[in-house]
Amino acid sequence: MLSESKSASDKLDLDPESVLEFNQDKTLFNSIQTKNSKEVLINTDTPSRSSVSKLTLLYLAYQSVGVIYGDLGTSPLYVFNSTFTKTPDREDILGALSMVIWSLTLVCTIKYSIFVLSADDNGEGGTFALYSLLSRYSNINWNNPNAASRGAFNRYPTGDIKSINGGLRRWIENSKFLRHLINLLSIIGVCMVLADGMLTPAQTVIGAIQGLRVEAPSITIAARTGISEVILILIFMVQSFGTTKIAVTFAPIVIIWLLLNLVFGIYNVIHYDASVFQAFSPYWIYHFFATNGRQGWEMMGGVLLCLTGVEAMYADLGHFAPSAVRLSWICLGYPCILFAYLGQAAYMVMDTTGTAWQNPFFAAVPPGAFWFAFVMSVLAAIVASQAMITACFSILSQAMNLSCFPQLKVVHTSKKFKGQVYIPVANWLLMIGTVAVAGGFQDTVALGNAYGACVIMTAFITTILMTLLTAIVWRWNIIFSIAFLLFFGLIDGAFLTSTLRKVPQGAWFTLAVAIVLSTVMYIWRYGSLRQWDYERMLKIKMRKEELDADNTTVAVSPLKPSTKLNFVMVVFDPAGFDSPTSFQHLQTVLQVEPAVVIFCHLRHINVAHVPEDERMIVFRPESTSSTYRVILRQGYKDLPDTTEEFGQLLVNRVAYLLGEEAQHAELEVINIAQAHQMTYLTNWINVNSRPGSFVLHRIMIDLYAWLRRNTSENQQEMYGVPVDKMIQIGMQYEL
């Protein structure tokens, strides 16, 4: 997502009245706040829409060519040979070409470029972006009660939405089944994209390397597979350089490749058969099915491959901008790819050998240009792999933000564009899977069967979620929303039925990968929901116990008062509001109260760097003394300052603000306490399944606990907190 810097008052002051409460120089950062910290967190984290200059738009459009269109642009390498199983006649070629033309026009240009790209979630794209956007305009998600929401909840009032649209929204909100179904659809859609990220590099690289069969037929399939696997390993090894560096490097390659397809297409149309332009008439689609019947329906699975990479247009949106993606597609990608198919069709129509359909791209290369075309196809295939790899990083980052995937290490590779991320663990797992796929399938026809299932299932789920979004978020007339579903759903459904029949021939692999990934996501989501319910009930129980203790008068044997000790305790606070359960547990069990308590909440902000004087917001809850809450704000490119002890940084900031506000008594207390001792309190949560619970529930909770133990982030270690000053409270959750 693109970020636009604003002044502190623009981004962080909640309203004009709050500014007037202080002197003109007072802001959230240089004064101690008494307002609700949760309200401040929500308002300071609401993302702002960024504006993009025309020059930046052109630069992003240039970059997007290098990342997104390699996949769509290399589809001409394998579409026609995956469609036909025998030498086609002229009518079959025109029918297949007509389906390709209208698929690119209706699905890529109209559905995705016009409609889907407009449904960005604060600049982010992908299936989870649609789910997140729906969640902000309808109450369909389950949020963590121990975390302040990072996105505004924009649910329209009943009077601002048509009655039938509002009825649809209420029906979904009141149905637990429908809420879970929408969440499950988004998870399946994301998992299909992740499976696509494993298949795309293998399909495109093998498709390019198999061109050697034309000029060097003696090279064995094992040798071609080995060359492909070496190239695939190199692709994944360069991912850590980041999207910008990769895109700037790859963009010229894709531009040359697309223009090469354009030139070859024009040459073949002029030199062989210009009548292929008749395929722009949908009549040839009708004629194709009328002539071929069931066999024509089966051949749709090959035509579908012309859409491979279309989801990358949306999933990679966080790396670029909607206008940039539209510009690069309409002005460059769309016309070049169309002419590539037109040229191949023109050559196949006039082919007298009857073999051109087996490798139409290289067969149709003009005389003397084979080796240049081969080298460019290999380079373009490398770039094509980048589209879905980048998309995988984006959607995994979104999944983690929505608590649908375990927390993995995310590296931000750009200071300008927040959405450009790299996830090391995901990168290496994708590499292993891709190399295994290349070795297992070895040719594009078998691999295409698995590949197509990913593409069309993701597109079909996108159509369903987009239909709900048009009615609930965009507030379309329900008739138009239904028309959207029927029109694009019919196209997606036709391709889907054709693809599913190929499950035994390779599509089983796609389904297997998606099922495994969906299971991991659903286990994490299920465990998170159970943990949130437990923590919600735990907070209610502790508050009730506090009220009971306050209202109970013990005449004979009063409760022992808490022992007040002269030291500063820094309590790591995961929520940023309320009293952390670890601190409440400490008070209950040990009856100890530090002289000074600082609740510290580490908050990651959607900007590259947070200015030094805006790093901390200090709160002092009303009716408390020597108790403070510090919100430590960190940009995604900021590194923790370990030159000074972490607790000392917090104490120095609080002491400075106390001195500025002439609160000398409080300042003396904190100075004496820090001179005596500094300690840190955190908790360690051990999750187990509840004894006697259902077997399937126990299995899912135990797997969730294992994932949690192996992916949790140690914030204390990251900030260099001294181990000898750490107190860790163990808490047992039986879910």
Side-chain angles (χ1 to χ4, degrees):
M1 184 180 70
L2 305 181
S3 299
E4 183 181 47
S5 60
K6 292 186 177 184
S7 66
S9 59
D10 286 336
K11 290 197 315 186
L12 296 170
D13 288 343
L14 303 180
D15 50 62
E17 294 179 1
S18 65
V19 181
L20 298 176
E21 292 177 6
F22 308 103
N23 295 332
Q24 191 173 5
D25 295 331
K26 296 289 185 180
T27 69
L28 282 173
F29 306 109
N30 62 14
S31 61
I32 297 177
Q33 307 297 303
T34 58
K35 61 184 72 171
N36 189 329
S37 61
K38 184 175 183 179
E39 183 183 359
V40 173
L41 283 172
I42 293 174
N43 281 273
T44 57
D45 279 354
T46 301
S48 57
R49 301 284 288 186
S50 55
S51 59
V52 179
S53 67
K54 292 181 180 179
L55 187 61
T56 303
L57 179 65
L58 290 174
Y59 179 62
L60 288 173
Y62 169 76
Q63 281 192 356
S64 70
V65 173
V67 170
I68 295 176
Y69 300 119
D71 196 359
L72 277 163
T74 52
S75 295
L77 288 170
Y78 46 76
V79 167
F80 283 131
N81 68 308
S82 297
T83 301
F84 302 116
T85 56
K86 61 181 181 179
T87 303
D89 57 25
R90 182 177 184 276
E91 286 75 15
D92 287 345
I93 293 171
L94 290 178
L97 176 62
S98 186
M99 279 194 286
V100 168
I101 291 171
W102 285 104
S103 296
L104 289 172
T105 302
L106 296 176
V107 178
C108 296
T109 306
I110 297 179
K111 176 185 168 182
Y112 274 89
S113 182
I114 295 177
F115 293 113
V116 178
L117 289 184
S118 300
D120 65 298
D121 181 36
N122 294 309
E124 295 290 340
T127 310
F128 266 148
L130 286 176
Y131 179 72
S132 175
L133 199 56
L134 281 169
S135 299
R136 290 198 287 112
Y137 285 85
S138 58
N139 189 22
I140 64 171
N141 198 8
W142 294 266
N143 294 315
N144 186 351
N146 299 313
S149 173
R150 292 179 180 271
F153 186 62
N154 300 321
R155 189 180 189 274
Y156 293 119
T158 303
D160 292 345
I161 188 171
K162 297 181 181 71
S163 59
I164 191 167
N165 298 56
L168 173 64
R169 183 179 65 183
R170 284 192 303 275
W171 181 45
I172 295 173
E173 290 176 337
N174 295 332
S175 172
K176 193 174 182 180
F177 170 76
L178 289 176
R179 293 171 68 189
H180 278 291
L181 179 61
I182 293 172
N183 181 248
L184 182 61
L185 280 175
S186 65
I187 287 176
I188 293 173
V190 163
C191 291
M192 284 295 170
V193 176
L194 293 175
D196 199 357
M198 189 181 297
L199 295 172
T200 295
Q203 172 80 348
T204 52
V205 172
I206 290 176
I209 297 300
Q210 73 181 8
L212 288 172
R213 291 185 301 184
V214 175
E215 291 290 320
S218 60
I219 296 180
T220 64
I221 189 170
R224 295 199 301 269
T225 302
I227 295 170
S228 300
E229 290 181 337
V230 170
I231 293 172
L232 290 170
I233 291 171
L234 292 175
I235 291 171
F236 285 97
M237 289 181 66
V238 302
Q239 294 304 310
S240 59
F241 289 106
T243 305
T244 297
K245 292 178 182 177
I246 293 173
V248 170
T249 304
F250 283 176
I253 296 173
V254 180
I255 291 173
I256 294 172
W257 169 253
L258 291 175
L259 293 177
L260 192 69
N261 275 272
L262 177 66
V263 172
F264 285 1
I266 293 173
Y267 170 85
N268 285 322
V269 167
I270 294 174
H271 194 264
Y272 294 107
D273 189 357
S275 68
V276 292
F277 280 105
Q278 295 176 28
F280 277 92
S281 169
Y283 162 79
W284 288 103
I285 299 177
Y286 163 77
H287 186 273
F288 181 83
F289 288 112
T291 303
N292 294 286
R294 179 183 175 86
Q295 187 180 4
W297 169 69
E298 293 175 354
M299 286 191 285
M300 283 183 67
V303 175
L304 166 64
L305 296 180
C306 74
L307 300 177
T308 54
V310 64
E311 186 62 25
M313 292 177 68
Y314 186 45
D316 285 334
L317 200 57
H319 294 253
F320 308 106
S323 300
V325 176
R326 288 191 189 100
L327 181 65
S328 57
W329 170 249
I330 298 297
C331 296
L332 183 65
Y334 181 54
C336 291
I337 294 172
L338 271 185
F339 266 97
Y341 290 112
L342 286 166
Q344 290 183 29
Y347 183 87
M348 287 191 294
V349 166
M350 301 302 294
D351 176 45
T352 56
T353 65
T355 59
W357 66 273
Q358 297 175 358
N359 206 337
F361 175 82
F362 289 103
V365 169
F370 173 83
W371 287 110
F372 177 69
F374 173 74
V375 171
M376 289 308 304
S377 70
V378 173
L379 293 176
I382 293 173
V383 179
S385 306
Q386 187 62 43
M388 295 313 302
I389 295 172
T390 303
C392 288
F393 295 155
S394 293
I395 62 175
L396 277 177
S397 178
Q398 294 170 20
M400 288 184 278
N401 289 335
L402 288 170
S403 300
C404 288
F405 201 80
Q407 295 297 313
L408 303 176
K409 181 181 179 182
V410 177
V411 178
H412 290 266
T413 59
S414 171
K415 294 182 179 180
K416 291 183 178 180
F417 310 123
K418 179 253 177 186
Q420 297 189 359
V421 296
Y422 163 68
I423 303 177
V425 173
N427 183 64
W428 302 124
L429 290 177
L430 280 173
M431 183 190 76
I432 294 170
T434 300
V435 172
V437 165
F441 285 95
Q442 297 190 342
D443 73 85
T444 57
V445 176
L447 191 53
N449 294 332
Y451 195 22
C454 287
V455 176
I456 198 58
M457 288 189 74
T458 304
F460 189 56
I461 290 171
T462 298
T463 298
I464 295 172
L465 295 179
M466 275 295 299
T467 302
L468 294 175
L469 185 139
T470 59
I472 295 173
V473 181
W474 292 349
R475 296 179 287 182
W476 280 13
N477 187 304
I478 198 68
I479 295 176
F480 295 132
S481 296
I482 294 173
F484 181 92
L485 174 63
L486 293 177
F487 183 75
F488 292 110
L490 180 63
I491 297 172
D492 296 337
F495 278 123
L496 182 60
T497 55
S498 175
T499 301
L500 290 181
R501 62 166 296 278
K502 296 184 178 180
V503 169
Q505 287 80 38
W508 63 267
F509 180 82
T510 299
L511 298 177
V513 171
I515 288 171
V516 170
L517 291 172
S518 298
T519 301
V520 172
M521 285 194 178
Y522 191 77
I523 287 172
W524 185 263
R525 184 66 173 172
Y526 181 84
S528 297
L529 291 176
R530 300 290 82 78
Q531 180 177 333
W532 296 347
D533 288 341
Y534 184 92
E535 290 174 341
R536 186 184 294 107
M537 297 305 297
L538 182 63
K539 281 197 170 188
I540 293 173
K541 178 183 175 183
M542 297 181 81
R543 284 173 184 157
K544 186 176 183 299
E545 289 175 352
E546 288 178 4
L547 290 173
D548 290 344
D550 291 339
N551 296 331
T552 302
T553 302
V554 181
V556 179
S557 191
L559 290 172
K560 181 180 177 181
S562 298
T563 303
K564 193 147 190 170
L565 301 178
N566 192 23
F567 65 93
V568 175
M569 175 172 281
V570 176
V571 182
F572 285 93
D573 174 15
F577 57 91
D578 291 340
S579 180
T581 52
S582 58
F583 186 67
Q584 292 177 324
H585 198 64
L586 179 75
Q587 289 181 308
T588 303
V589 175
L590 299 181
Q591 298 286 313
V592 170
E593 186 177 347
V596 177
V597 179
I598 299 177
F599 299 131
C600 178
H601 175 66
L602 305 175
R603 194 72 168 177
H604 296 282
I605 308 300
N606 292 334
V607 295
H609 295 289
V610 176
E612 192 68 35
D613 58 350
E614 297 182 7
R615 289 277 171 90
M616 300 186 198
I617 307 176
V618 179
F619 298 85
R620 180 171 55 198
E622 295 180 356
S623 69
T624 62
S625 61
S626 300
T627 299
Y628 308 91
R629 171 170 275 113
V630 177
I631 308 297
L632 179 58
R633 306 168 70 245
Q634 179 179 321
Y636 54 78
K637 296 292 283 185
D638 286 330
L639 296 176
D641 183 3
T642 57
T643 58
E644 189 174 3
E645 186 178 330
F646 181 68
Q648 196 62 52
L649 289 171
L650 303 179
V651 168
N652 289 346
R653 185 60 183 172
V654 174
Y656 170 78
L657 295 179
L658 289 172
E660 288 290 301
E661 298 186 5
Q663 299 187 33
H664 302 297
E666 293 281 338
L667 180 59
E668 184 178 358
V669 171
I670 198 170
N671 284 333
I672 293 173
Q674 72 158 328
H676 189 264
Q677 188 178 2
M678 179 90 67
T679 61
Y680 301 85
L681 177 68
T682 186
N683 65 343
W684 175 73
I685 298 174
N686 184 38
V687 174
N688 285 313
S689 57
R690 189 175 63 255
S693 57
F694 187 56
V695 175
L696 182 59
H697 171 85
R698 290 205 304 271
I699 293 173
M700 294 185 71
I701 293 300
D702 290 342
L703 288 172
Y704 167 73
W706 181 83
L707 289 170
R708 195 177 184 280
R709 284 194 301 271
N710 288 278
T711 58
S712 58
E713 181 186 51
N714 190 333
Q715 293 180 327
Q716 294 77 42
E717 181 181 323
M718 182 175 64
Y719 278 85
V721 173
V723 177
D724 58 341
K725 296 183 180 182
M726 176 72 68
I727 300 173
Q728 192 171 57
I729 300 289
M731 302 185 71
Q732 186 77 19
Y733 284 10
E734 291 187 348
L735 308 181

